[in-house]
Amino acid sequence: MAEIATIARPYAEALFQAAGADAAATSVWLDELAAVAANDQLRQFAESPKASDEQVFGVISGVLKEGLPQMGQNFLRTVIENGRIAALPEVADQFRALKNAQLGSSDAVVHSAFDMDSAALADLSGVLEK
């Protein structure tokens, strides 16, 4: 099977082009889809020959906290029909990279040895934004 990044790239690029100025909102529901798709039990269900595409779509969309917009529904149906559920986390990563490149920003994860109060987090956020 082809490298997962190679499979995910055309999906991420097409979705990024389709999202246009709405990339931030698209990123939110795409990250949620990626989190759901990372579940092993869900992937086993999706790969089962007994599960129809419509059943898989129903399970995934039923698990999401927020409803999917029409573009998200169409995207999810395409991914399911092509058997690419496992690629969704990588699609989300590549989409985020495209969005960050367009905005000139980066994602950051901060690890701290101690609990940080809201004032310390606000200070750190200000420094990172610069």
Side-chain angles (χ1 to χ4, degrees):
M1 186 167 170
E3 175 93 22
I4 199 81
T6 304
I7 292 169
R9 186 171 302 110
Y11 289 94
E13 290 173 352
L15 185 59
F16 184 73
Q17 287 179 351
D22 202 25
T26 300
S27 184
V28 171
W29 59 256
L30 183 58
D31 286 340
E32 193 173 358
L33 278 179
V36 171
N39 182 290
D40 289 332
Q41 290 176 326
L42 176 88
R43 282 200 316 268
Q44 286 177 339
F45 173 73
E47 293 168 2
S48 170
K50 294 181 181 181
S52 71
D53 289 350
E54 203 52 45
Q55 289 172 323
V56 174
F57 178 84
V59 168
I60 293 174
S61 59
V63 172
L64 299 175
K65 294 175 188 171
E66 300 288 324
L68 281 175
Q70 189 62 46
M71 181 173 33
Q73 292 177 23
N74 294 342
F75 178 75
L76 180 57
R77 288 185 195 281
T78 301
V79 169
I80 291 169
E81 288 170 6
N82 292 320
R84 302 298 190 204
I85 296 285
L88 275 173
E90 181 65 24
V91 170
D93 288 345
Q94 290 189 24
F95 183 90
R96 191 176 314 102
L98 291 168
K99 181 184 71 135
N100 287 345
Q102 180 188 45
L103 298 174
S105 65
S106 296
D107 292 331
V109 177
V110 176
H111 297 276
S112 175
F114 54 91
D115 288 337
M116 297 177 71
D117 61 9
S118 59
L121 286 173
D123 288 344
L124 180 61
S125 177
V127 169
L128 290 175
E129 285 178 0
K130 289 179 184 177

